[in-house]
Structures are given as C-alpha cells and as structure tokens.
Amino acid sequence: MPRTVHIVGAGLAGLSAALKLSARGERVIVHEATAFAGGRCRSYHDATLGMTIDNGNHLLLSGNHAALEFLRDIGAADRLIGPPAADFLFADVASGQRWTLSINDGRLPLWIFDPARRLPGTRALDYAPLARLLWARSGKSVGETISCKGLLYQRLVEPLLLAALNIDPPHGSAKLASAIIRETIAAGGRACRPLVAREGLGSTLIEPALETLQRRGTVVRLEHQLRGLRFGAERVEALDFGKETIVLTADDAVILAVPPYAAASLVRGLEVPNEFRAIVNAHFRIEPPAAAPPILGVLNGTVQWIFSFPGRVSITISAGDELVDSPREELAKTIWGDVSRVTGLPPALPPWQIVRERRATFAATPAQDARRPGAKTEWRNLMLAGDWTNIGLPATIEGAIRSGNRAAALVAR
Ligand SMILES: Cc1cc2nc3c(=O)[nH]c(=O)nc-3n(C[C@H](O)[C@H](O)[C@H](O)COP(=O)(O)OP(=O)(O)OC[C@H]3O[C@@H](n4cnc5c(N)ncnc54)[C@H](O)[C@@H]3O)c2cc1C
C-alpha cells in the first residue's frame, strides 16, 4: 500500500505542496474546511456588482520566482499581465502631481542617478536609507533603522513597505523589509515588473491548480474540516474530521497548511503569530478611462493603489484596520472621491462593493516575526506550511508558495 500525504488547507501553501508532491507521483489528499479552494486568495461572484471579483487585488512581481514556477506548473503563466518594464505610476491626491518611477532592468541602480527615472524632488544621495534597510539588523523595526520622514520615505519606502508588509512601516520588521528590498529594488527592474491576474485570481491561480491536481489523481475534499490530530510519542497517528477519523500508517505524512490561529488550536504548545492587520478592498462597476494604467499608486489619500480591469476599477488599502468598522456607504464615497479625483471618472458613486479582510496577514512586527515557527515539528510526520511560517518573507503569495514547497521537500522521499 503506497503511503498518503494528507495536506490540510487548500490555500496557496497547501496547493503548492500538493502540486510538488503529486508531480513526484505521491498519493496526496487535500482537506479543505470551506466549500472553496484558494483561502485568502480567491475569486467569487458578487451579486451586488453582477460580476466575478477577487476578495482582494493581489499584486505579484516578476521576481516572485516560486509563484511564477507554480503558474508554469499549472499552465497559467500567461494569465498574468504587466508592463514590459518596472514602471510605477503615482498620483498625489493632495497636490495633483503625477510621476513615474522607472527602475532599470539590471542590478546596477542606474535609475537612482537619472533624474528622469528616479522620484521627482529627490537626489541620488537621498537613496542611502535603502542600503541601511538592506543590511538591517534582526529584531529592529523599520522606524529604528531609518528615518521615516522626507520625500524618499513618503514616495517610495512607505508605499512599497505598506503594500509588502501590510503594516504602518515604522512598526514593521526591518528584517522583513530588508528581504523585500533585496528581492525587489536591489535585484533590479527585471525582478520588479508588477504583475496582476487580469481575469481574476480564481481563473489564474486556483482553478488551473485544481485541474492539474485532478489530472494527477490528487483528491481535494472540500467542506472537510480537520477537528483534531491524535499525537503519538513521535508521530501523528490519526486525523479527526468529526464524523470521520483517518488512521495514519507509519509512513503517512501530514502538512498542516492552515492559518496560524487554526494551527495553534490543532497543535499543542505551538507558538504562532497572534496579531493581524486588515486589508480593505473596494470594487466599482465602471469602465476605467482608456488611458488608465493597470496599476496606479496613490499618495495622500485614503486609497493606496488603484487597479483598472475591463468594466471594473478596484482599490486597495493595506493596514486598513481603522476602516474595518466604518460605515460601508460612507467609506465607499470617500474612496470613490479619491478615485474620481485621480482618474477623472465622474464623481457620482457607481455600483460598489467593499471587502474587508480583518485578518488579512499577520502583523509584520519584529515581535510577531519572532513567533513564526519553521516547517518541522517535534512529530516526524507533521510539517507546517503557510505564509505565517518562518520563510523569511512577509505574508505574501510568494511566501505561501515557498512554504508549501519547503514542506513538500521535507516530506518527499
Ligand atoms: C485582501 C488581501 C490582499 C492581499 N494582497 C496580496 C498581494 O497583493 N500580494 C501578495 O503576494 N499577497 C497578498 N495577500 C496575501 C496572500 O493572499 C496570502 O499570503 C496567501 O494567500 C496565504 O496563503 P496560505 O495558503 O498561507 O493561507 P490561506 O490562504 O489562509 O489558506 C489556509 C486554508 O486553510 C483552510 N483551513 C483553515 N482551517 C482548516 C481546518 N481545520 N481544516 C481544513 N482546512 C482549514 C482555510 O479555509 C484556507 O483555505 C493578500 C491577502 C489578502 C487577504
């Protein structure tokens, strides 16, 4: 009888582990609590807008090598779109000023020395804090490492780290900020091209993954929530799904790819991140202006990023904890005010939807980062995966996929 690897959680961490193991011919069963795969990265049909939308706009970068490999494996690499170069367009709501940051392709940061490429109003010397962040010491916050003031901070460091760490940057972990700078700006423009799933997260990342798994004989059991694990001295012996218990053979393995609070309730004594930050997204059913860029950074407004899709304009607000309880209609109007000012679209509020993910990511502080466990546990057949495990990156698609790959490599024979 061949052994079975049970993967609990069908978010990107669980799916990437399942893809790696199924490609090696392993027998894999994925157990997912909800009625859909994708976890925090999913699409759904929204009745108010009458269209399929994503729970949140997700941005990938061309340097996210694990995510791109995942997409190639499921035959969906061509479903991401983005500009041919690392050009980031910004608009300042307060001043009306607009600019484009153009990071040159190679590792040598020529853009810093080129006034036409770097941020308006900055000098090459102003970019020194990026190097300080790059070599930041573990345990320090961003605010303890660089000055969080001035044009470079407001126009580059703050928008970049707010989006990547999902936390007010001064409180963010300098070590995680350093990982972001190393894998993006310091790696050159070739690693920084922004990429979005134009037809949605579901049809780009999730459905093709499920189809690939099905072709490889992997079973994905939806609405199959793990209620408990039975622990032996050195291995997990059984999985308790309430009405059903699966007894494991000595060879079977388990990858727990659930969020941190779910993992902590299933594994005794497991220390996990226990503070979270919200992300607010708003979607408007309206055709964006023909000249609208796919992604526009916004400064000095409530909105942080505007995404233009066919028939829809969507916005993202990271670290949006202060907005999770504000009245929905009021919030929609405030957001649309920013969008209308920046895009020139009419001020009348179009049909809208607001999606607020309260626990979008763990809070990327040094203290929370220190609570992230590795993949191995004290039980030899139990591995952990998820964007909150210690993968050296903040909670992102790339981190989730790398964590799934790492757990798969550890159980693989
Ligand atoms: C609004 C929003 C915007 C984001 N934007 C970006 C972005 O722009 N770029 C980026 O890179 N990242 C972004 N992220 C982060 C990214 O979505 C996550 O890092 C990634 O999806 C996490 O995947 P995961 O598999 O680790 O966890 P999850 O997606 O949380 O998956 C865990 C799965 O486990 C299941 N589960 C829980 N308990 C059980 C149980 N007991 N039994 C069985 N199953 C269980 C859950 O239902 C879920 O499906 C964003 C996140 C949000 C919420």
Side-chain angles (χ1 to χ4, degrees), residues 8-13 31-34 38-41 55-59 224-226 257-259 262 279 281 357 360 386-387 395-397 400:
V8 185
L12 285 169
H31 309 270
E32 165 57 43
T34 67
R40 277 170 283 153
C41 181
N55 68 316
N57 304 306
H58 279 61
L59 183 68
H224 204 231
Q225 182 178 353
L226 184 69
V258 300
I279 297 181
N281 278 263
E357 296 268 3
D387 62 358
T396 50
I397 291 178

PDB file of all heavy atoms in Angstrom, residues 8-13 31-34 38-41 55-59 224-226 257-259 262 279 281 357 360 386-387 395-397 400, ligand 1:
ATOM      1  N   VAL A   8      -3.626  19.637   4.810  1.00  0.00           N
ATOM      2  CA  VAL A   8      -4.806  20.255   5.420  1.00  0.00           C
ATOM      3  C   VAL A   8      -4.773  21.747   5.095  1.00  0.00           C
ATOM      4  O   VAL A   8      -3.864  22.466   5.522  1.00  0.00           O
ATOM      5  CB  VAL A   8      -4.817  20.022   6.947  1.00  0.00           C
ATOM      6  CG1 VAL A   8      -6.112  20.567   7.547  1.00  0.00           C
ATOM      7  CG2 VAL A   8      -4.655  18.546   7.258  1.00  0.00           C
ATOM      8  N   GLY A   9      -5.780  22.217   4.334  1.00  0.00           N
ATOM      9  CA  GLY A   9      -5.831  23.622   3.914  1.00  0.00           C
ATOM     10  C   GLY A   9      -5.517  23.726   2.425  1.00  0.00           C
ATOM     11  O   GLY A   9      -4.445  23.296   1.983  1.00  0.00           O
ATOM     12  N   ALA A  10      -6.463  24.273   1.658  1.00  0.00           N
ATOM     13  CA  ALA A  10      -6.262  24.410   0.205  1.00  0.00           C
ATOM     14  C   ALA A  10      -6.052  25.856  -0.193  1.00  0.00           C
ATOM     15  O   ALA A  10      -6.555  26.335  -1.201  1.00  0.00           O
ATOM     16  CB  ALA A  10      -7.442  23.806  -0.558  1.00  0.00           C
ATOM     17  N   GLY A  11      -5.302  26.599   0.646  1.00  0.00           N
ATOM     18  CA  GLY A  11      -4.812  27.912   0.223  1.00  0.00           C
ATOM     19  C   GLY A  11      -3.601  27.687  -0.670  1.00  0.00           C
ATOM     20  O   GLY A  11      -3.284  26.540  -1.049  1.00  0.00           O
ATOM     21  N   LEU A  12      -2.883  28.750  -0.992  1.00  0.00           N
ATOM     22  CA  LEU A  12      -1.751  28.585  -1.910  1.00  0.00           C
ATOM     23  C   LEU A  12      -0.636  27.735  -1.324  1.00  0.00           C
ATOM     24  O   LEU A  12       0.048  27.004  -2.057  1.00  0.00           O
ATOM     25  CB  LEU A  12      -1.219  29.957  -2.327  1.00  0.00           C
ATOM     26  CG  LEU A  12      -2.129  30.662  -3.333  1.00  0.00           C
ATOM     27  CD1 LEU A  12      -1.714  32.110  -3.505  1.00  0.00           C
ATOM     28  CD2 LEU A  12      -2.119  29.932  -4.675  1.00  0.00           C
ATOM     29  N   ALA A  13      -0.461  27.779   0.010  1.00  0.00           N
ATOM     30  CA  ALA A  13       0.580  26.946   0.630  1.00  0.00           C
ATOM     31  C   ALA A  13       0.223  25.465   0.452  1.00  0.00           C
ATOM     32  O   ALA A  13       1.060  24.658   0.024  1.00  0.00           O
ATOM     33  CB  ALA A  13       0.721  27.292   2.110  1.00  0.00           C
ATOM     34  N   HIS A  31      -7.414  18.348   2.277  1.00  0.00           N
ATOM     35  CA  HIS A  31      -8.642  18.529   3.056  1.00  0.00           C
ATOM     36  C   HIS A  31      -8.851  20.018   3.287  1.00  0.00           C
ATOM     37  O   HIS A  31      -7.988  20.680   3.879  1.00  0.00           O
ATOM     38  CB  HIS A  31      -8.525  17.839   4.417  1.00  0.00           C
ATOM     39  CG  HIS A  31      -8.081  16.409   4.321  1.00  0.00           C
ATOM     40  ND1 HIS A  31      -8.968  15.367   4.197  1.00  0.00           N
ATOM     41  CD2 HIS A  31      -6.839  15.853   4.326  1.00  0.00           C
ATOM     42  CE1 HIS A  31      -8.287  14.222   4.144  1.00  0.00           C
ATOM     43  NE2 HIS A  31      -6.997  14.491   4.208  1.00  0.00           N
ATOM     44  N   GLU A  32      -9.969  20.563   2.852  1.00  0.00           N
ATOM     45  CA  GLU A  32     -10.228  21.995   2.988  1.00  0.00           C
ATOM     46  C   GLU A  32     -11.539  22.197   3.764  1.00  0.00           C
ATOM     47  O   GLU A  32     -12.550  21.600   3.438  1.00  0.00           O
ATOM     48  CB  GLU A  32     -10.296  22.639   1.591  1.00  0.00           C
ATOM     49  CG  GLU A  32     -10.896  24.024   1.536  1.00  0.00           C
ATOM     50  CD  GLU A  32     -10.210  25.073   2.422  1.00  0.00           C
ATOM     51  OE1 GLU A  32      -8.968  25.123   2.468  1.00  0.00           O
ATOM     52  OE2 GLU A  32     -10.953  25.824   3.108  1.00  0.00           O
ATOM     53  N   ALA A  33     -11.478  23.090   4.764  1.00  0.00           N
ATOM     54  CA  ALA A  33     -12.647  23.297   5.635  1.00  0.00           C
ATOM     55  C   ALA A  33     -13.819  23.937   4.886  1.00  0.00           C
ATOM     56  O   ALA A  33     -14.974  23.569   5.097  1.00  0.00           O
ATOM     57  CB  ALA A  33     -12.242  24.189   6.813  1.00  0.00           C
ATOM     58  N   THR A  34     -13.533  24.896   4.026  1.00  0.00           N
ATOM     59  CA  THR A  34     -14.626  25.643   3.381  1.00  0.00           C
ATOM     60  C   THR A  34     -15.052  24.942   2.079  1.00  0.00           C
ATOM     61  O   THR A  34     -14.498  23.908   1.714  1.00  0.00           O
ATOM     62  CB  THR A  34     -14.181  27.087   3.052  1.00  0.00           C
ATOM     63  OG1 THR A  34     -13.166  27.009   2.037  1.00  0.00           O
ATOM     64  CG2 THR A  34     -13.630  27.802   4.271  1.00  0.00           C
ATOM     65  N   GLY A  38      -8.344  28.109  -2.303  1.00  0.00           N
ATOM     66  CA  GLY A  38      -7.779  29.444  -2.535  1.00  0.00           C
ATOM     67  C   GLY A  38      -7.560  30.228  -1.256  1.00  0.00           C
ATOM     68  O   GLY A  38      -6.736  31.133  -1.230  1.00  0.00           O
ATOM     69  N   GLY A  39      -8.325  29.928  -0.204  1.00  0.00           N
ATOM     70  CA  GLY A  39      -8.141  30.618   1.077  1.00  0.00           C
ATOM     71  C   GLY A  39      -8.267  32.122   0.927  1.00  0.00           C
ATOM     72  O   GLY A  39      -9.284  32.618   0.420  1.00  0.00           O
ATOM     73  N   ARG A  40      -7.207  32.835   1.280  1.00  0.00           N
ATOM     74  CA  ARG A  40      -7.235  34.304   1.232  1.00  0.00           C
ATOM     75  C   ARG A  40      -6.972  34.856  -0.157  1.00  0.00           C
ATOM     76  O   ARG A  40      -6.853  36.066  -0.336  1.00  0.00           O
ATOM     77  CB  ARG A  40      -6.201  34.860   2.224  1.00  0.00           C
ATOM     78  CG  ARG A  40      -6.713  34.919   3.630  1.00  0.00           C
ATOM     79  CD  ARG A  40      -5.603  35.237   4.588  1.00  0.00           C
ATOM     80  NE  ARG A  40      -4.756  34.091   4.851  1.00  0.00           N
ATOM     81  CZ  ARG A  40      -3.475  34.162   5.210  1.00  0.00           C
ATOM     82  NH1 ARG A  40      -2.894  35.326   5.291  1.00  0.00           N
ATOM     83  NH2 ARG A  40      -2.793  33.071   5.451  1.00  0.00           N
ATOM     84  N   CYS A  41      -6.864  33.991  -1.131  1.00  0.00           N
ATOM     85  CA  CYS A  41      -6.543  34.422  -2.497  1.00  0.00           C
ATOM     86  C   CYS A  41      -7.575  33.770  -3.420  1.00  0.00           C
ATOM     87  O   CYS A  41      -7.357  32.701  -3.959  1.00  0.00           O
ATOM     88  CB  CYS A  41      -5.122  33.938  -2.811  1.00  0.00           C
ATOM     89  SG  CYS A  41      -4.522  34.379  -4.425  1.00  0.00           S
ATOM     90  N   ASN A  55     -11.336  38.538  -3.778  1.00  0.00           N
ATOM     91  CA  ASN A  55     -11.507  39.013  -2.394  1.00  0.00           C
ATOM     92  C   ASN A  55     -10.619  40.238  -2.168  1.00  0.00           C
ATOM     93  O   ASN A  55     -10.941  41.100  -1.361  1.00  0.00           O
ATOM     94  CB  ASN A  55     -11.189  37.903  -1.384  1.00  0.00           C
ATOM     95  CG  ASN A  55      -9.712  37.530  -1.380  1.00  0.00           C
ATOM     96  OD1 ASN A  55      -9.090  37.385  -2.414  1.00  0.00           O
ATOM     97  ND2 ASN A  55      -9.155  37.367  -0.204  1.00  0.00           N
ATOM     98  N   GLY A  56      -9.525  40.316  -2.873  1.00  0.00           N
ATOM     99  CA  GLY A  56      -8.650  41.482  -2.784  1.00  0.00           C
ATOM    100  C   GLY A  56      -7.740  41.505  -3.993  1.00  0.00           C
ATOM    101  O   GLY A  56      -7.402  40.453  -4.536  1.00  0.00           O
ATOM    102  N   ASN A  57      -7.337  42.728  -4.392  1.00  0.00           N
ATOM    103  CA  ASN A  57      -6.387  42.816  -5.501  1.00  0.00           C
ATOM    104  C   ASN A  57      -5.068  42.246  -5.032  1.00  0.00           C
ATOM    105  O   ASN A  57      -4.596  42.582  -3.953  1.00  0.00           O
ATOM    106  CB  ASN A  57      -6.178  44.279  -5.887  1.00  0.00           C
ATOM    107  CG  ASN A  57      -7.489  44.940  -6.233  1.00  0.00           C
ATOM    108  OD1 ASN A  57      -8.221  44.444  -7.078  1.00  0.00           O
ATOM    109  ND2 ASN A  57      -7.805  46.033  -5.560  1.00  0.00           N
ATOM    110  N   HIS A  58      -4.513  41.368  -5.813  1.00  0.00           N
ATOM    111  CA  HIS A  58      -3.216  40.782  -5.453  1.00  0.00           C
ATOM    112  C   HIS A  58      -2.194  41.164  -6.500  1.00  0.00           C
ATOM    113  O   HIS A  58      -2.399  40.945  -7.689  1.00  0.00           O
ATOM    114  CB  HIS A  58      -3.318  39.251  -5.375  1.00  0.00           C
ATOM    115  CG  HIS A  58      -3.894  38.753  -4.092  1.00  0.00           C
ATOM    116  ND1 HIS A  58      -5.161  39.061  -3.667  1.00  0.00           N
ATOM    117  CD2 HIS A  58      -3.373  37.943  -3.125  1.00  0.00           C
ATOM    118  CE1 HIS A  58      -5.394  38.464  -2.504  1.00  0.00           C
ATOM    119  NE2 HIS A  58      -4.323  37.780  -2.152  1.00  0.00           N
ATOM    120  N   LEU A  59      -1.082  41.712  -6.020  1.00  0.00           N
ATOM    121  CA  LEU A  59      -0.002  42.119  -6.914  1.00  0.00           C
ATOM    122  C   LEU A  59       1.150  41.138  -6.763  1.00  0.00           C
ATOM    123  O   LEU A  59       1.551  40.824  -5.644  1.00  0.00           O
ATOM    124  CB  LEU A  59       0.457  43.529  -6.518  1.00  0.00           C
ATOM    125  CG  LEU A  59       1.538  44.145  -7.383  1.00  0.00           C
ATOM    126  CD1 LEU A  59       0.999  44.437  -8.776  1.00  0.00           C
ATOM    127  CD2 LEU A  59       2.041  45.445  -6.755  1.00  0.00           C
ATOM    128  N   HIS A 224     -14.320  19.775   4.452  1.00  0.00           N
ATOM    129  CA  HIS A 224     -13.775  18.654   5.220  1.00  0.00           C
ATOM    130  C   HIS A 224     -12.773  19.238   6.213  1.00  0.00           C
ATOM    131  O   HIS A 224     -11.563  19.239   5.983  1.00  0.00           O
ATOM    132  CB  HIS A 224     -13.113  17.652   4.263  1.00  0.00           C
ATOM    133  CG  HIS A 224     -13.045  16.280   4.828  1.00  0.00           C
ATOM    134  ND1 HIS A 224     -11.892  15.539   4.870  1.00  0.00           N
ATOM    135  CD2 HIS A 224     -14.006  15.521   5.397  1.00  0.00           C
ATOM    136  CE1 HIS A 224     -12.150  14.369   5.422  1.00  0.00           C
ATOM    137  NE2 HIS A 224     -13.420  14.334   5.764  1.00  0.00           N
ATOM    138  N   GLN A 225     -13.325  19.739   7.300  1.00  0.00           N
ATOM    139  CA  GLN A 225     -12.512  20.482   8.277  1.00  0.00           C
ATOM    140  C   GLN A 225     -11.841  19.542   9.267  1.00  0.00           C
ATOM    141  O   GLN A 225     -12.498  18.699   9.883  1.00  0.00           O
ATOM    142  CB  GLN A 225     -13.397  21.471   9.039  1.00  0.00           C
ATOM    143  CG  GLN A 225     -12.614  22.306  10.026  1.00  0.00           C
ATOM    144  CD  GLN A 225     -13.496  23.309  10.749  1.00  0.00           C
ATOM    145  OE1 GLN A 225     -14.669  23.469  10.416  1.00  0.00           O
ATOM    146  NE2 GLN A 225     -12.948  23.973  11.726  1.00  0.00           N
ATOM    147  N   LEU A 226     -10.549  19.713   9.418  1.00  0.00           N
ATOM    148  CA  LEU A 226      -9.827  18.937  10.435  1.00  0.00           C
ATOM    149  C   LEU A 226     -10.193  19.469  11.814  1.00  0.00           C
ATOM    150  O   LEU A 226     -10.072  20.665  12.079  1.00  0.00           O
ATOM    151  CB  LEU A 226      -8.314  19.053  10.213  1.00  0.00           C
ATOM    152  CG  LEU A 226      -7.465  18.211  11.171  1.00  0.00           C
ATOM    153  CD1 LEU A 226      -7.624  16.720  10.882  1.00  0.00           C
ATOM    154  CD2 LEU A 226      -5.990  18.602  11.084  1.00  0.00           C
ATOM    155  N   ALA A 257      -1.456  23.207   6.494  1.00  0.00           N
ATOM    156  CA  ALA A 257      -1.307  24.474   5.751  1.00  0.00           C
ATOM    157  C   ALA A 257      -2.511  25.371   6.021  1.00  0.00           C
ATOM    158  O   ALA A 257      -3.149  25.879   5.107  1.00  0.00           O
ATOM    159  CB  ALA A 257      -1.156  24.181   4.258  1.00  0.00           C
ATOM    160  N   VAL A 258      -2.804  25.527   7.304  1.00  0.00           N
ATOM    161  CA  VAL A 258      -3.960  26.325   7.732  1.00  0.00           C
ATOM    162  C   VAL A 258      -3.449  27.653   8.298  1.00  0.00           C
ATOM    163  O   VAL A 258      -2.252  27.800   8.541  1.00  0.00           O
ATOM    164  CB  VAL A 258      -4.779  25.544   8.800  1.00  0.00           C
ATOM    165  CG1 VAL A 258      -5.298  24.224   8.244  1.00  0.00           C
ATOM    166  CG2 VAL A 258      -3.940  25.288  10.059  1.00  0.00           C
ATOM    167  N   PRO A 259      -4.331  28.635   8.532  1.00  0.00           N
ATOM    168  CA  PRO A 259      -3.847  29.893   9.125  1.00  0.00           C
ATOM    169  C   PRO A 259      -3.293  29.658  10.539  1.00  0.00           C
ATOM    170  O   PRO A 259      -3.596  28.638  11.166  1.00  0.00           O
ATOM    171  CB  PRO A 259      -5.112  30.767   9.171  1.00  0.00           C
ATOM    172  CG  PRO A 259      -6.055  30.145   8.204  1.00  0.00           C
ATOM    173  CD  PRO A 259      -5.759  28.684   8.201  1.00  0.00           C
ATOM    174  N   ALA A 262      -5.629  28.635  13.414  1.00  0.00           N
ATOM    175  CA  ALA A 262      -6.150  27.262  13.273  1.00  0.00           C
ATOM    176  C   ALA A 262      -5.057  26.257  13.653  1.00  0.00           C
ATOM    177  O   ALA A 262      -5.326  25.273  14.359  1.00  0.00           O
ATOM    178  CB  ALA A 262      -6.623  27.029  11.836  1.00  0.00           C
ATOM    179  N   ILE A 279      -6.842  44.274   5.444  1.00  0.00           N
ATOM    180  CA  ILE A 279      -6.720  44.907   4.117  1.00  0.00           C
ATOM    181  C   ILE A 279      -8.143  45.207   3.651  1.00  0.00           C
ATOM    182  O   ILE A 279      -9.035  44.360   3.772  1.00  0.00           O
ATOM    183  CB  ILE A 279      -6.003  43.998   3.098  1.00  0.00           C
ATOM    184  CG1 ILE A 279      -4.558  43.723   3.541  1.00  0.00           C
ATOM    185  CG2 ILE A 279      -6.001  44.656   1.708  1.00  0.00           C
ATOM    186  CD1 ILE A 279      -3.747  42.851   2.590  1.00  0.00           C
ATOM    187  N   ASN A 281     -10.525  46.350   0.477  1.00  0.00           N
ATOM    188  CA  ASN A 281     -10.611  46.495  -0.977  1.00  0.00           C
ATOM    189  C   ASN A 281     -11.990  47.021  -1.335  1.00  0.00           C
ATOM    190  O   ASN A 281     -12.979  46.651  -0.699  1.00  0.00           O
ATOM    191  CB  ASN A 281     -10.415  45.147  -1.679  1.00  0.00           C
ATOM    192  CG  ASN A 281      -8.949  44.797  -1.822  1.00  0.00           C
ATOM    193  OD1 ASN A 281      -8.340  45.024  -2.850  1.00  0.00           O
ATOM    194  ND2 ASN A 281      -8.384  44.276  -0.752  1.00  0.00           N
ATOM    195  N   GLU A 357     -10.956  42.299   4.804  1.00  0.00           N
ATOM    196  CA  GLU A 357     -10.373  41.077   5.396  1.00  0.00           C
ATOM    197  C   GLU A 357      -9.681  41.513   6.682  1.00  0.00           C
ATOM    198  O   GLU A 357      -8.630  42.153   6.638  1.00  0.00           O
ATOM    199  CB  GLU A 357      -9.355  40.442   4.435  1.00  0.00           C
ATOM    200  CG  GLU A 357      -9.952  39.937   3.140  1.00  0.00           C
ATOM    201  CD  GLU A 357     -10.366  38.468   3.206  1.00  0.00           C
ATOM    202  OE1 GLU A 357     -10.243  37.834   4.288  1.00  0.00           O
ATOM    203  OE2 GLU A 357     -10.822  37.956   2.167  1.00  0.00           O
ATOM    204  N   ALA A 360      -6.096  39.756   7.336  1.00  0.00           N
ATOM    205  CA  ALA A 360      -5.518  39.537   6.001  1.00  0.00           C
ATOM    206  C   ALA A 360      -4.130  38.916   6.113  1.00  0.00           C
ATOM    207  O   ALA A 360      -3.794  37.976   5.392  1.00  0.00           O
ATOM    208  CB  ALA A 360      -5.464  40.845   5.232  1.00  0.00           C
ATOM    209  N   GLY A 386       2.432  27.679   5.257  1.00  0.00           N
ATOM    210  CA  GLY A 386       1.561  28.857   5.346  1.00  0.00           C
ATOM    211  C   GLY A 386       2.417  30.103   5.318  1.00  0.00           C
ATOM    212  O   GLY A 386       3.605  30.063   5.675  1.00  0.00           O
ATOM    213  N   ASP A 387       1.798  31.228   4.903  1.00  0.00           N
ATOM    214  CA  ASP A 387       2.569  32.471   4.769  1.00  0.00           C
ATOM    215  C   ASP A 387       3.088  32.971   6.114  1.00  0.00           C
ATOM    216  O   ASP A 387       3.929  33.855   6.166  1.00  0.00           O
ATOM    217  CB  ASP A 387       1.718  33.549   4.073  1.00  0.00           C
ATOM    218  CG  ASP A 387       0.466  33.922   4.847  1.00  0.00           C
ATOM    219  OD1 ASP A 387       0.195  33.327   5.916  1.00  0.00           O
ATOM    220  OD2 ASP A 387      -0.257  34.839   4.381  1.00  0.00           O
ATOM    221  N   ALA A 395       3.901  38.063   4.806  1.00  0.00           N
ATOM    222  CA  ALA A 395       2.791  37.205   4.340  1.00  0.00           C
ATOM    223  C   ALA A 395       2.394  37.598   2.923  1.00  0.00           C
ATOM    224  O   ALA A 395       1.740  38.623   2.717  1.00  0.00           O
ATOM    225  CB  ALA A 395       1.613  37.334   5.293  1.00  0.00           C
ATOM    226  N   THR A 396       2.807  36.799   1.971  1.00  0.00           N
ATOM    227  CA  THR A 396       2.560  37.085   0.556  1.00  0.00           C
ATOM    228  C   THR A 396       2.300  35.774  -0.173  1.00  0.00           C
ATOM    229  O   THR A 396       2.570  34.684   0.358  1.00  0.00           O
ATOM    230  CB  THR A 396       3.808  37.721  -0.101  1.00  0.00           C
ATOM    231  OG1 THR A 396       4.941  36.902   0.233  1.00  0.00           O
ATOM    232  CG2 THR A 396       4.058  39.128   0.370  1.00  0.00           C
ATOM    233  N   ILE A 397       1.839  35.884  -1.407  1.00  0.00           N
ATOM    234  CA  ILE A 397       1.650  34.713  -2.258  1.00  0.00           C
ATOM    235  C   ILE A 397       2.984  33.974  -2.377  1.00  0.00           C
ATOM    236  O   ILE A 397       3.056  32.751  -2.252  1.00  0.00           O
ATOM    237  CB  ILE A 397       1.159  35.148  -3.655  1.00  0.00           C
ATOM    238  CG1 ILE A 397      -0.262  35.699  -3.574  1.00  0.00           C
ATOM    239  CG2 ILE A 397       1.265  34.004  -4.652  1.00  0.00           C
ATOM    240  CD1 ILE A 397      -0.799  36.187  -4.908  1.00  0.00           C
ATOM    241  N   ALA A 400       3.776  32.141   0.794  1.00  0.00           N
ATOM    242  CA  ALA A 400       2.891  30.980   0.982  1.00  0.00           C
ATOM    243  C   ALA A 400       3.361  29.830   0.088  1.00  0.00           C
ATOM    244  O   ALA A 400       3.456  28.672   0.533  1.00  0.00           O
ATOM    245  CB  ALA A 400       1.450  31.369   0.662  1.00  0.00           C
TER     246      ALA A 400
HETATM  247  C1  LIG B   1      -7.188  41.234   0.784  1.00  0.00           C
HETATM  248  C2  LIG B   1      -5.840  40.602   0.624  1.00  0.00           C
HETATM  249  C3  LIG B   1      -4.931  41.156  -0.277  1.00  0.00           C
HETATM  250  C4  LIG B   1      -3.678  40.571  -0.443  1.00  0.00           C
HETATM  251  N1  LIG B   1      -2.820  41.101  -1.366  1.00  0.00           N
HETATM  252  C5  LIG B   1      -1.681  40.453  -1.647  1.00  0.00           C
HETATM  253  C6  LIG B   1      -0.848  40.915  -2.703  1.00  0.00           C
HETATM  254  O1  LIG B   1      -1.123  41.907  -3.350  1.00  0.00           O
HETATM  255  N2  LIG B   1       0.288  40.190  -2.987  1.00  0.00           N
HETATM  256  C7  LIG B   1       0.624  39.071  -2.274  1.00  0.00           C
HETATM  257  O2  LIG B   1       1.651  38.459  -2.605  1.00  0.00           O
HETATM  258  N3  LIG B   1      -0.133  38.638  -1.241  1.00  0.00           N
HETATM  259  C8  LIG B   1      -1.272  39.293  -0.921  1.00  0.00           C
HETATM  260  N4  LIG B   1      -2.073  38.842   0.096  1.00  0.00           N
HETATM  261  C9  LIG B   1      -1.597  37.709   0.927  1.00  0.00           C
HETATM  262  C10 LIG B   1      -1.913  36.347   0.296  1.00  0.00           C
HETATM  263  O3  LIG B   1      -3.255  36.281  -0.078  1.00  0.00           O
HETATM  264  C11 LIG B   1      -1.622  35.277   1.345  1.00  0.00           C
HETATM  265  O4  LIG B   1      -0.288  35.400   1.788  1.00  0.00           O
HETATM  266  C12 LIG B   1      -1.803  33.845   0.840  1.00  0.00           C
HETATM  267  O5  LIG B   1      -2.995  33.707   0.107  1.00  0.00           O
HETATM  268  C13 LIG B   1      -1.805  32.915   2.054  1.00  0.00           C
HETATM  269  O6  LIG B   1      -1.942  31.572   1.643  1.00  0.00           O
HETATM  270  P1  LIG B   1      -1.901  30.405   2.716  1.00  0.00           P
HETATM  271  O7  LIG B   1      -2.107  29.141   1.975  1.00  0.00           O
HETATM  272  O8  LIG B   1      -0.694  30.547   3.561  1.00  0.00           O
HETATM  273  O9  LIG B   1      -3.134  30.669   3.722  1.00  0.00           O
HETATM  274  P2  LIG B   1      -4.709  30.701   3.464  1.00  0.00           P
HETATM  275  O10 LIG B   1      -4.999  31.305   2.143  1.00  0.00           O
HETATM  276  O11 LIG B   1      -5.299  31.344   4.668  1.00  0.00           O
HETATM  277  O12 LIG B   1      -5.135  29.162   3.395  1.00  0.00           O
HETATM  278  C14 LIG B   1      -5.422  28.382   4.522  1.00  0.00           C
HETATM  279  C15 LIG B   1      -6.564  27.419   4.175  1.00  0.00           C
HETATM  280  O13 LIG B   1      -6.768  26.540   5.279  1.00  0.00           O
HETATM  281  C16 LIG B   1      -8.166  26.315   5.415  1.00  0.00           C
HETATM  282  N5  LIG B   1      -8.416  25.810   6.772  1.00  0.00           N
HETATM  283  C17 LIG B   1      -8.392  26.501   7.951  1.00  0.00           C
HETATM  284  N6  LIG B   1      -8.630  25.660   8.982  1.00  0.00           N
HETATM  285  C18 LIG B   1      -8.813  24.413   8.447  1.00  0.00           C
HETATM  286  C19 LIG B   1      -9.093  23.133   9.011  1.00  0.00           C
HETATM  287  N7  LIG B   1      -9.189  22.966  10.342  1.00  0.00           N
HETATM  288  N8  LIG B   1      -9.243  22.069   8.176  1.00  0.00           N
HETATM  289  C20 LIG B   1      -9.102  22.235   6.815  1.00  0.00           C
HETATM  290  N9  LIG B   1      -8.844  23.425   6.246  1.00  0.00           N
HETATM  291  C21 LIG B   1      -8.687  24.510   7.041  1.00  0.00           C
HETATM  292  C22 LIG B   1      -8.745  27.697   5.131  1.00  0.00           C
HETATM  293  O14 LIG B   1     -10.125  27.618   4.841  1.00  0.00           O
HETATM  294  C23 LIG B   1      -7.895  28.138   3.949  1.00  0.00           C
HETATM  295  O15 LIG B   1      -8.447  27.731   2.717  1.00  0.00           O
HETATM  296  C24 LIG B   1      -3.312  39.429   0.323  1.00  0.00           C
HETATM  297  C25 LIG B   1      -4.220  38.901   1.244  1.00  0.00           C
HETATM  298  C26 LIG B   1      -5.467  39.474   1.394  1.00  0.00           C
HETATM  299  C27 LIG B   1      -6.426  38.870   2.384  1.00  0.00           C
END
